[in-house]
Every structure is written in C-alpha cells, then in structure tokens.
C-alpha cells in the first residue's frame, strides 16, 4: 500500500446491517494494560467507521459469549503470549470463529524471535548475529563461562531481550561486561529463554504491512528517535522520551529497502492481514531485521496508526475493511 492506493472500504455481509465484530483485549500477560488501550482505541475507531464493535476480554466468558451471539468477525488486540503466540487463534479456529490476523502456526513462528530471525536470514534478509539460550544452560554450565563466550563471539555493546514477548519488556542495551549478568537476570523475569544480539548503531524503524486482498504492501516507515538511544519499555510508553517521524528521515532507496524487507518478512513467515516489522538502518544504509509483531500496538501513540495516517487512510476504515474480508470469506 502506498499513499496513492485506493482507500479501503468495508461492507457488511448482509448488505444493510452494520458489520458486527468483537474486539478482544486485555488477557493475563505483562502487556495487559497496553492491550486494553489498543482494544479501546480499535473499538472507538471501528464505531466511527460504522461498525458495531464490542470490546471483550479473553476470559472464561469469551467462548460461551461468541457461541450465544456470534460475531461476523473478531479483531485481536491482545498483546503478549495470549494474542501473539498462536494459542488463542488456534482455539478460535476450533470454534469456527473468523478473525483478522495471522494463522496460529505463523504466529508461533513469529513469536519465537530467534526462529523468525533464522527464517528471514535464510530468505536473504540481514539481521544482527545472535545467540539464544535457556536459563538452564547458564545454571548447568556456569553463567560466567557462557557469558564470556557470548562476549567473545558477539562483542560489545549487546542487546539483551526475551526470546519471545513484546512491548520492549526486558530489553536492555549492555555496554560493559560487568553489567551483563544483571541484565540477564532481569530478562529472565519475562521468560525462560534469553536472546543476546549484537547491537547495531543506527536509525530505528517500524514498518507496518497490510494486505487488503492484493497482497501485502508496506506503509510509510515510522522512525523512532528515543532520547536515551534505546527504544526500551520506558522510552516506548513514557510521553516525551521518544520522537516519532513519519515517514522516516531516510533516503528513498533505504526506505524502499525497508519496505521490501517488511514485505519479505510478512510473506516468509506466512503472516496475514497486518504486521509490523522492527528494523534498524546502519551507517551504510543496510536495513537489519530485528523482530516482527503479529498484533501491533494500536493506541493513539502506536506506530501502526501513525503509518496508516501517513498513507492517507483512516484507521477505523482500514481495520473495518480487514474485518469485512474475513467475515465475507467465512460466509
């Protein structure tokens, strides 16, 4: 999709009745509050677009509620494991409930950051070197010896992050060897496996991708400029700590390369409907893949809505068009 692309449209399957959708948000993960913000924003945008949208939590009442009052389609605004590791989508598949977004198997692959990086590298994409190890490895072989090997192989500085998860939870930049053990301990609070990645200095980008039926197309890239130099949880959610520029302040050829990378990621991982690829551009203009989000943030300050606006579209209309496609294919 480009700024000149035709505006998305959404028609209810019945023709005259408004599209009835359920927006799922909340869940029981570290990212619950962010998810609730996304879900509330989505429901409001869809309502303005003429959609009958109901906001619901992913709890024990969900499946009975959907069975008693079926929705035309579901929009998943859940972040963290519940919404992004494929488990909820697998249950929705079992229940025969149509939803916007990637299938369960693709979500499981994207959720595993090291696995996703391997696929992207295998498809010719550039991604920083990394190693991913479970907590048991450090316990059994000795943390000091293993960390020494990591530094010898990847150098400094390093990025330490959970091997799965979102919202930049647990992400830290480590520039000194003596700070690495504490960063690892902090990271293990969010998961059993940690990924240590070579730090790449450059311009951080978020490149959203949508597919309205003509194949995946990249929206204008959003440039992230955190005051601290690292887009961690604090920089992401504390007002004023990060500047955003859409489109990104990068040369046209680099922007084209970033768009192609994001589309490649979307296709190679088997994603559907929408995604957001996080990348970084180094001093030579090379675009490095970092990770991909199958349920990108949709709050007022999230990158996906910024990209939609930069492309000249209304967020509610675009999401409604995705929901209408899913409802029509299910019918």
């Amino acid at each position: 999709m480009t700024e000149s692309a035709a505006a998305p449209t959404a028609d209810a399957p019945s023709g005259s009745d408004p599209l009835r959708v359920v927006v799922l948000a909340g869940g029981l993960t570290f990212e619950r509050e962010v998810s609730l913000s996304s879900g509330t924003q989505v429901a409001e945008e869809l309502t303005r677009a003429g959609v009958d949208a109901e906001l619901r939590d992913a709890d024990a009442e969900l499946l009975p509620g959907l069975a008693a009052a079926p929705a035309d389609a579901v929009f998943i605004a859940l972040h963290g494991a519940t919404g992004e590791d494929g488990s909820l989508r697998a249950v929705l598949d079992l229940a025969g409930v149509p939803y916007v977004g990637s299938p369960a198997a693709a979500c499981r692959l994207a959720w595993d950051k090291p696995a996703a990086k391997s696929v992207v590298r295998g498809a010719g994409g550039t991604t920083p070197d990394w190693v991913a190890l479970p907590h048991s490895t450090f316990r059994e072989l000795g943390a000091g010896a293993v960390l020494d090997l990591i530094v010898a192989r990847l150098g400094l500085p390093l990025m330490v992050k959970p091997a799965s998860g979102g919202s930049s939870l647990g992400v830290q930049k480590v520039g000194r060897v003596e700070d690495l053990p504490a960063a690892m301990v902090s990271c293990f609070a969010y998961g059993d496996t940690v990924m240590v990645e070579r730090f790449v200095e450059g311009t951080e980008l978020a490149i959203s991708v949508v597919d309205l039926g003509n194949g995946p197309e990249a929206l204008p890239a959003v440039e992230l400029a955190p005051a601290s130099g690292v887009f961690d949880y604090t920089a992401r959610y504390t007002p004023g700590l990060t500047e955003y520029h859409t489109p990104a302040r990068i040369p046209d050829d680099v922007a084209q390369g970033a768009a192609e990378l994001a589309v490649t990621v979307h296709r190679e991982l088997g994603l559907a409907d929408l995604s957001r690829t996080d990348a970084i551009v180094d001093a030579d203009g090379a675009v490095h893949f970092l990770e991909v989000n199958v349920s990108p943030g949709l709050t007022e300050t999230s990158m996906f809505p910024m990209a939609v606006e930069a492309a000249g579209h209304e967020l509610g209309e675009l999401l409604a068009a995705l929901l209408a496609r899913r409802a029509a294919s299910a019918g």
Side-chain angles (χ1 to χ4, degrees):
M1 175 171 291
T2 64
E3 293 185 34
S4 61
T9 59
D11 296 314
S14 59
S16 57
D17 296 331
L19 193 69
R20 181 182 179 276
V21 307
V22 167
V23 179
L24 297 183
L28 297 176
T29 72
F30 294 112
E31 299 173 68
R32 175 177 174 81
E33 294 306 316
V34 178
S35 173
L36 288 172
S37 295
S38 285
T40 299
Q41 180 74 6
V42 168
E44 292 175 353
E45 293 286 347
L46 288 173
T47 299
R48 281 194 284 270
V51 175
D52 179 4
E54 176 188 3
L55 184 64
R56 300 199 61 168
D57 209 329
D59 55 23
E61 301 300 318
L62 175 62
L63 294 177
L66 289 174
D72 293 319
V74 165
F75 189 90
I76 301 171
L78 288 156
H79 308 311
T82 305
E84 299 186 68
D85 69 358
S87 55
L88 174 65
R89 297 163 198 248
V91 173
L92 293 176
D93 288 336
L94 289 172
V97 176
Y99 56 86
V100 166
S102 301
C107 288
R108 283 192 291 272
L109 179 56
W111 179 247
D112 186 332
K113 295 174 187 176
K117 282 166 66 73
S118 293
V119 170
V120 172
R121 176 170 284 181
T126 301
T127 188
D129 289 338
W130 77 96
V131 62
L133 297 170
H135 185 270
S136 59
T137 298
F138 295 91
R139 185 176 61 249
E140 294 167 4
L141 300 182
V146 176
L147 292 178
D148 286 344
L149 289 174
I150 291 175
V151 173
R153 175 65 181 273
L154 300 179
L156 289 169
L158 295 166
M159 290 299 292
V160 177
K161 59 182 71 174
S164 59
S167 293
S168 300
L169 287 165
V171 174
Q172 295 184 56
K173 177 185 176 183
V174 176
R176 304 188 309 166
V177 173
E178 53 266 37
D179 295 333
L180 190 53
M184 299 290 287
V185 170
S186 176
C187 200
F188 279 127
Y190 298 98
D192 183 61
T193 301
V194 165
M195 184 174 77
V196 183
E197 186 178 59
R198 183 175 60 84
F199 177 77
V200 176
E201 188 76 46
T203 302
E204 294 193 60
L205 303 178
I207 312 108
S208 298
V209 171
V210 295
D211 185 350
L212 292 168
N214 296 315
E217 299 182 59
L219 301 179
V222 178
E223 176 187 343
L224 293 55
S228 66
V230 178
F231 194 59
D232 56 13
Y233 185 86
T234 301
R236 183 185 290 260
Y237 295 111
T238 304
L241 292 188
T242 298
E243 292 183 359
Y244 301 92
H245 303 274
T246 315
R249 301 170 300 177
I250 52 178
D252 290 345
D253 60 330
V254 176
Q256 181 62 31
E260 292 172 356
L261 172 65
V263 170
T264 295
V265 170
H266 191 93
R267 284 180 169 148
E268 292 295 327
L269 296 180
L271 306 183
D273 296 335
L274 75 168
S275 68
R276 193 196 75 231
T277 286
D278 296 338
I280 192 160
V281 181
D282 67 21
D284 296 324
V287 185
H288 301 256
F289 169 73
L290 299 178
E291 61 185 83
V292 64
N293 300 268
V294 300
S295 184
L298 293 162
T299 69
E300 291 182 343
T301 58
S302 295
M303 283 82 78
F304 188 93
M306 293 179 193
V308 171
E309 180 180 358
H313 300 305
E314 294 291 335
L315 179 61
E317 293 178 0
L318 185 144
L319 299 181
L322 291 173
L323 285 157
R325 284 188 64 233
R326 286 301 170 189
S329 62

